[in-house]
Amino acid sequence: MTEQQRAIQRLKTNTWEKEGKVSEKVTSLWSDALRRLLRNRAAVLGAIIILVLILLGIFAEQAAPYHYAEGDSNENYLVPQWMTRVFPGDMASYAKIGDKFIFGADYLGRDLLSRLIYGIRISLPTGFIGAMTALIIGLVYGSISGYYGGRVDDIMMRIVDIMYAFPTMLLIILLMAFFKTTFSGGAQPGTAAYNFNRINQAVDSLLGLQGGGMLFIFMGIGITAWMGTARLARGQILSIKQKEFIEASHMIGARDLRIIVRHILPNIIGPILVSVTLAIPSYIETEVFLSFIGLGVDPPTPSWGSMISEGSKAIRSYPNQVLFPALALAITMFAFNFLGDGLRDALDPRMKGTS
């Protein structure tokens, strides 16, 4: 074996000798990607933050000091003692100062920390449902369009173009207004609106909320979340469907579904996963904006957007009501961006084999 062949062999396998035996370890794209991801400190930090948020959301009843709707009018606009030493001015002259709540209380005397923790059940499911919708619908839609091409591709992509012609946020606002006015409570039993409202209540109950209206948000975001993924999947398939291994699969008589699932999807799933992960902050931002303008979850269900909206009315006197939900939103979006950037670097095929 020449020196060049030995060098190529060392790149393919990691060989070591122990107790007279030689073992070979073949590295794959996914193992290399995981190794590079774990070496990315920002990505690991983002993943840890996301994991902590998920655990807080799941165990909100145990983690939150109070229920999100529990309030005391005698404690409204309460500012924690430690904030008087951080912010300038004499807060004691216009605000109630106390140590009962770590982050203070809102205008109804509800604990801000508890509402922040319960608000995780709104923001994170919205981001994950949007990502799952984009991944499932967009991947299937884009795969069919890109694989079959021709007239099928033209028709399917024109549908996407028509949907892109509408401003996405305006379309979601119109959908939310339609859902809330059509499928809200008060519908007669046996009607479609009544059955739809029962499903909405079941979703809220699953998330441990009372009358949140989360199904409306899931539908509003899900209807528009898949378009970018569909275009990306189509483009990826168009770039590889003429490759030799695809042509060989056709020649041996493999079915279209088998070719797509076994040969095409494993080669395009990396960039799509990165795109979906990087899009999660935009879905969370959409929910926050909808709640900010009053089209999100129904009160008293806490949302970071509604908390920011309520706190903005007294931002100069009680900055804690805006500061903490805004920080929670910023930290969450940074965490997903860090993780998405790390996945992009880890799954980049050009990085395979590098240290």
Side-chain angles (χ1 to χ4, degrees):
M1 182 182 293
T2 63
E3 185 62 26
Q4 183 179 6
Q5 291 174 330
R6 292 194 187 95
I8 295 175
Q9 184 68 18
R10 283 195 298 271
L11 289 175
K12 293 181 178 180
T13 60
N14 296 324
T15 306
W16 68 93
E17 187 174 354
K18 184 179 181 180
E19 297 179 354
K21 296 182 179 180
V22 177
S23 301
E24 292 187 352
K25 180 182 177 182
V26 180
T27 60
S28 66
L29 172 63
W30 294 105
S31 61
D32 282 349
L34 179 60
R35 175 172 52 83
R36 286 195 295 270
L37 181 64
L38 294 177
R39 290 185 178 181
N40 189 324
R41 295 182 179 178
V44 172
L45 177 61
I48 292 174
I49 293 174
I50 294 170
L51 179 60
V52 171
L53 290 174
I54 292 174
L55 293 176
L56 284 176
I58 294 175
F59 301 103
E61 288 86 355
Q62 292 76 27
Y66 304 92
H67 189 265
Y68 64 84
E70 179 182 347
D72 186 354
S73 59
N74 295 324
E75 305 290 348
N76 61 335
Y77 292 113
L78 184 69
V79 177
Q81 182 70 39
W82 63 268
M83 287 194 67
T84 61
R85 297 187 291 269
V86 176
F87 288 88
D90 185 13
M91 287 188 175
S93 62
Y94 58 83
K96 300 175 184 177
I97 308 298
D99 293 325
K100 181 178 180 179
F101 306 122
I102 298 178
F103 290 164
D106 63 3
Y107 69 103
L108 291 177
R110 297 173 297 192
D111 179 30
L112 289 179
L113 175 60
S114 299
R115 290 179 63 80
L116 284 174
I117 294 175
Y118 277 98
I120 297 173
R121 292 186 172 182
I122 306 296
S123 296
L124 287 192
T126 300
F128 291 145
I129 291 296
M132 290 177 58
T133 304
L135 183 62
I136 296 173
I137 299 180
L139 192 58
V140 172
Y141 192 95
S143 298
I144 295 174
S145 176
Y147 181 79
Y148 289 102
R151 188 171 183 83
V152 174
D153 182 38
D154 290 338
I155 294 175
M156 296 181 72
M157 284 299 104
R158 294 300 77 75
I159 295 175
V160 174
D161 292 338
I162 291 173
M163 294 191 66
Y164 262 119
F166 295 95
T168 303
M169 185 58 69
L170 178 60
L171 180 59
I172 294 177
I173 290 174
L174 293 176
L175 289 172
M176 290 298 299
F178 171 76
F179 292 147
K180 282 186 170 291
T181 55
T182 304
F183 301 108
S184 58
Q188 295 296 326
T191 62
Y194 178 82
N195 295 330
F196 193 91
N197 193 48
R198 292 290 300 272
I199 298 175
N200 177 48
Q201 293 175 357
V203 173
D204 293 338
S205 177
L206 182 64
L207 295 174
L209 306 172
Q210 299 175 358
M214 287 298 295
L215 183 61
F216 301 141
I217 297 179
F218 292 160
M219 292 185 63
I221 295 177
I223 288 175
T224 59
W226 58 272
M227 296 183 293
T229 306
R231 279 189 165 181
L232 177 60
R234 171 185 176 268
Q236 292 287 323
I237 290 180
L238 288 176
S239 65
I240 70 169
K241 73 174 185 177
Q242 301 299 332
K243 298 291 186 179
E244 291 79 3
F245 66 95
I246 302 296
E247 295 293 339
S249 299
H250 283 293
M251 293 179 63
I252 64 175
R255 295 182 179 181
D256 293 340
L257 181 60
R258 179 179 177 83
I259 294 175
I260 293 175
V261 174
R262 295 293 300 274
H263 303 291
I264 292 180
L265 290 185
N267 287 280
I268 68 172
I269 195 64
I272 292 176
L273 286 177
V274 172
S275 175
V276 169
T277 304
L278 289 173
I280 290 178
S282 66
Y283 306 140
I284 297 176
E285 183 182 6
T286 300
E287 181 277 320
V288 169
F289 177 75
L290 291 173
S291 298
F292 185 86
I293 63 177
L295 289 175
V297 294
D298 302 322
T301 303
S303 167
W304 294 343
S306 60
M307 294 176 67
I308 294 173
S309 176
E310 295 166 356
S312 63
K313 302 172 184 177
I315 187 173
R316 297 186 63 181
S317 301
Y318 311 101
N320 57 313
Q321 296 190 29
V322 176
L323 176 63
F324 297 117
L327 281 176
L329 175 62
I331 292 172
T332 303
M333 298 185 75
F334 272 123
F336 277 107
N337 282 326
F338 288 154
L339 180 59
D341 289 338
L343 285 175
R344 180 180 56 195
D345 295 339
L347 293 175
D348 188 351
R350 294 171 296 181
M351 298 291 291
K352 189 177 189 303
T354 60
S355 58

